[in-house]
Amino acid sequence: MTGEREYSAPGDEIETRKPVTVSRYRGITRLNHWVTAFTMIGLILSGMALFHPSLYFLTGLFGGGPTTRWLHPLMGILLVLSFLLLFLQMWRLNLPRREDAEWLANIKEVVKGEEENLPELGKYNAGQKFVFWGMSGLIVVMIVTGVMIWEQYFPGLVSIPVRRVAVAVHALAAVAAVLIFIVHVYAAIWTRGTIRAMTRGTVTGGWAYRHHRKWLRELAGRRKADPAE
Amino acid sequence: MTTERAPQPTTAMANPPVQPLASNLLPGDVVRASAMRDLPAPERQLTKVAKLIDVSRCIGCKACQSACIEWNDTHPEVEENVGVYENPHDLTPDMFTLMRFTEYENPETNEFEWLIRKDGCMHCEDPGCLTACPAPGAIVQYSNGIVDFISDNCIGCGYCVAGCPFNIPRIHKTAHVSKKCTLCSDRVAVGQGPACAKACPTQAIVFGTKDEMIAHAEMRIEDLKERGYENAGLYDPQGVGGTHVMYVLHHADKPSLYADLPDDPKISAVVKGWKGAAKDVGLAAMGLAAVGAMAHGALARANEVSAHDDAEAQEMVAHAAGRLTVEEEAARPPEGAP
Ligand code: HEM
Ligand code: SF4
Ligand code: SF4
Ligand code: SF4
């Protein structure tokens, strides 16, 4: 093993040199991500069925209203556990850094796709960090309020006035989570070459150079990890 | 099967008609249903009914509770006597009505008063339970004012519990549906008054059209005032549009004396916000974001990696590799090896 990692996570490495490909997520992390993603989609669909009368038909996907009612919180628990594992793997590289402010100040260039004049970044940019922390916070809010309104197992946990606030906050947090979810998926598609990081686990050297240059530089400077790492 | 419809009941006192009659509470009499915004206009307007509970006449015998259990065929658990008169300890999914006992020392007269209130669904004109419920048709209101829970449509989520200003609905632990007093809608449908009203030995519970019940209450209030209860009055809270279960109270200025009967019940502003504009605004925001993202994705230029980026990456990696010693370079696995 060679040197401290500042911008990269264990398992990140240059995989091939000609052409350059860089491994970004290990298999276990990708599995973890997709479990989280599909649970989240299930939660959004089942939650939205109860959120608005015009979406109640979505309960049909889960086998009816009562099934949706009991399944939703169970998926919620699964999501929290799965997300927690992701969180533990990713939180350090999502801590804000000085260059994030400059990146944000030039967000216009980012949207135009002209990243040439932006600061070099580590594994995540400020947008990705916003998605990460936003989701983390909202999931905490949703598990706390979700348990408070969980009739089947915690019927009298909180007083009725508190319960009213909890269900309203849960719904608001869910709307915010859906918006972040859309941003997340959109960004992954718009920034071409990103999806493969979560499917195959690797990105091209050009992608890494363009979007996460400090990360690439650190990996390039490291020797291939020895098996002990 | 007879096709003659039962008359609308105007009292609980009369004995029911003996000939078989068809139900007179029809799907077309539903004026409001949970999570269903565009109901067809009702075919007719039934006379508004109400149950009037004269607290000053109640002797706390619980005949109404027994009648309710019997008529609705519920099976409340036998509980332990913990030294209070309430039995069971609270409203439950199997106990739709409960006598609540309050011991009150009137500071003005220094007299001890035993206040007994028959608790249960108030059948609000503007029902918070119905507002909160997410399941289409799980809660309905008929044009005679009765608010009814339709268990076949109920999903047991408990939102009605949060919506109700009177703390009435209870979710059944095994059936997972919400339960409460039906105002004996199944009796009213065939021309009979509520079972509890019929069973009451002192006629503290009476039933009829809402107008008649208000008139009846006025008589009772006058009587109470003559007997020195100058604050006697009718409890028909306007914050929920009035109710179809009303009380005559000796202390109508302080409803909360009666086991915390709300002084000014209203659907909570939180519930109204959550169930009102917030839903449509939230849905619109999510819809716009999704559609906007798709449109932008289809029309706007994507952020593509350029050949220049690839070349620079190649250069960066090769350059870094160049810093390795000759021996290290020789020991490296061949290109493309896993
Ligand atoms: C990302 C995660 C989640 C999303 C997007 C989400 C979304 C929603 C939405 C939109 C509703 C309907 C709110 C309304 O009717 O206005 C809801 C209800 C509910 N949520 Fe969640 N939620 C999530 C996580 C959780 C978690 C972690 C729990 C934990 C226990 C939970 C428990 C509940 C419960 C108990 C309800 C009431 C309906 C039911 O019993 O199924 N939710 N959720
Ligand atoms: S539990 Fe209450 S709010 Fe939920 S579906 Fe049943 S009646 Fe409606
Ligand atoms: S008292 Fe509660 S349960 Fe009864 S109609 Fe009013 S809001 Fe609904
Ligand atoms: S009206 Fe019927 S359901 Fe309601 S308390 Fe009386 S007997 Fe029970």
Side-chain angles (χ1 to χ4, degrees), chain A residues 71-88:
Chain A
L71 206 55
H72 175 89
L74 294 184
M75 286 193 284
I77 299 296
L78 178 62
L79 175 85
V80 168
L81 296 177
S82 175
F83 189 84
L84 181 67
L85 293 177
L86 268 191
F87 181 90
L88 292 174

Side-chain angles (χ1 to χ4, degrees), chain A residues 102-117:
Chain A
E102 204 186 326
W103 187 87
L104 276 179
N106 292 299
I107 191 83
K108 266 204 194 127
E109 312 263 313
V110 180
V111 175
K112 277 191 273 175
E114 290 165 9
E115 278 160 273
E116 289 71 24
N117 310 322

Side-chain angles (χ1 to χ4, degrees), chain A residues 28-29 31-40 43 75-91 94 128-143 177 180-181 184 198:
Chain A
I28 188 75
T29 310
L31 178 69
N32 195 174
H33 172 268
W34 289 115
V35 169
T36 309
F38 283 108
T39 318
M40 185 75 185
L43 276 160
M75 286 193 284
I77 299 296
L78 178 62
L79 175 85
V80 168
L81 296 177
S82 175
F83 189 84
L84 181 67
L85 293 177
L86 268 191
F87 181 90
L88 292 174
Q89 295 169 68
M90 297 183 170
W91 72 273
N94 275 288
Q128 291 165 306
K129 290 177 183 180
F130 166 77
V131 168
F132 177 82
W133 290 110
M135 270 300 180
S136 304
L138 289 170
I139 286 174
V140 170
V141 169
M142 282 189 286
I143 177 84
I180 292 187
F181 185 87
H184 177 64
M198 270 303 167

Side-chain angles (χ1 to χ4, degrees), chain A residues 50-63:
Chain A
L50 305 186
F51 176 73
H52 201 278
S54 66
L55 299 176
Y56 188 79
F57 71 93
L58 291 171
T59 54
L61 294 174
F62 302 90

Side-chain angles (χ1 to χ4, degrees), chain B residues 120-124 126-130 147 149 163-169 180:
Chain B
C121 175
M122 300 296 288
H123 295 270
C124 310
D126 187 10
C129 56
L130 191 151
V147 178
F149 285 9
C164 173
F166 294 95
N167 182 15
I168 299 300
K180 71 162 187 71

Side-chain angles (χ1 to χ4, degrees), chain B residues 127-174:
Chain B
C129 56
L130 191 151
T131 306
C133 175
I139 304 181
V140 299
Q141 185 179 41
Y142 300 104
S143 61
N144 62 6
I146 294 180
V147 178
D148 219 355
F149 285 9
I150 310 298
S151 292
D152 283 350
N153 296 332
C154 172
I155 63 171
C157 63
Y159 285 10
C160 48
V161 176
C164 173
F166 294 95
N167 182 15
I168 299 300
R170 297 290 184 270
I171 313 296
H172 200 284
K173 271 284 153 210
T174 50

Side-chain angles (χ1 to χ4, degrees), chain B residues 266-298:
Chain B
K266 291 197 222 2
I267 300 179
S268 151
V270 179
V271 171
K272 284 205 155 154
W274 160 51
K275 280 291 167 175
K279 297 258 136 157
D280 296 317
V281 173
L283 188 65
M286 292 184 292
L288 279 178
V291 171
M294 277 189 267
H296 195 260

